[in-house]
Amino acid sequence: MNFHPIDLDTWARKPYYEHYGNRVRCTYSMTADLDITRLQSERKSRGIRLYPALIYMIAKVVNRHREFRTCLDAEGRLGVWEQMSPGFTIFHEDDKTFSSIWTPFHEEFGPFYEGYLRQMEAYRKAKGLFPDPAEPPNTFPISSIPWVSFTGFNLNIYNEGAYLLPIFTVGQFRRQDDRIRLPVSVQFHHAVCDGYHAGVCFQELQELAEGCPSWLAGPSSL
């Protein structure tokens, strides 16, 4: 997948990138509840698992906005991936460890879900942090903490502030006032994402949850 370098001198975000990337290195986390009441009902009626549906929603939003695909490549160049695929954690019940695997992004949920099922079958028993040596560089991380319905979550990354991609963490859903609410936390780098972009991220995730009947249609036989 293509990586498009950014010309810093003509980039509108240059002053923000230099300030929050060099002078005042700054990441921030935001946690919000998603109302997944309709999503839970629709996906259950189709026999679809919740986790891949959430992964698809997140990947869909990431691929809509270049701010969420801006990073440094292996050569240290600043740029934007043309498309990104989700990397996500899976839990091993036997020894209480986890692994991070990935699945190719697809605009349509059906093919994406099929790819997810194939990867899960291939790696569900594989151990190690990154068992798939073929994981491409254009992936971004999603993790799940299904044992806790948290109200806040923060990551502390010690890499000189060079990790620019958003990091998503999904918690345990809970029932509240006849609704099902799911905590989602996202860590953003202020050099490439402002509060506006965080708001867009959560707003579009909620819209996808509400509009799930349209994109869930198709893979019910899987």
Side-chain angles (χ1 to χ4, degrees), residues 35-184:
D35 185 335
I36 62 166
T37 309
R38 190 174 194 183
L39 176 63
Q40 277 286 71
S41 175
E42 293 289 338
R43 68 96 186 167
K44 284 183 177 180
S45 69
R46 292 171 165 83
I48 292 170
R49 302 176 189 177
L50 177 61
Y51 193 30
L54 296 171
I55 293 171
Y56 171 79
M57 288 166 48
I58 293 170
K60 189 85 168 176
V61 173
V62 165
N63 279 292
R64 284 176 178 173
H65 303 280
R66 62 184 286 121
E67 291 83 5
F68 304 146
R69 292 178 281 111
T70 301
C71 64
L72 300 172
D73 70 359
E75 299 175 17
R77 298 178 301 169
L78 177 68
V80 180
W81 285 108
E82 188 174 305
Q83 186 182 85
M84 299 204 76
S85 293
F88 53 93
T89 56
I90 58 173
F91 186 67
H92 303 300
E93 188 64 45
D94 57 345
D95 61 2
K96 306 301 186 287
T97 62
F98 73 93
S99 297
S100 179
I101 63 175
W102 73 288
T103 193
F105 176 68
H106 196 286
E107 283 290 340
E108 301 299 325
F109 179 69
F112 176 83
Y113 191 59
E114 290 177 345
Y116 169 89
L117 294 177
R118 285 194 298 269
Q119 287 293 87
M120 285 295 294
E121 181 61 26
Y123 291 102
R124 61 188 177 88
K125 293 183 179 180
K127 297 299 178 68
L129 185 55
F130 299 104
D132 184 359
E135 180 172 336
N138 61 319
T139 59
F140 69 94
I142 301 172
S143 62
S144 176
I145 306 178
W147 309 278
V148 183
S149 185
F150 50 75
T151 57
F153 184 85
N154 185 63
L155 291 167
N156 300 291
I157 300 176
Y158 300 96
N159 68 344
E160 300 182 353
Y163 192 84
L164 304 179
L165 294 172
I167 303 174
F168 295 81
T169 306
V170 178
Q172 180 189 66
F173 65 79
R174 67 186 185 279
R175 295 186 180 274
Q176 180 181 2
D177 301 326
D178 297 323
R179 310 302 294 177
I180 302 175
R181 305 187 185 279
L182 177 85
V184 177

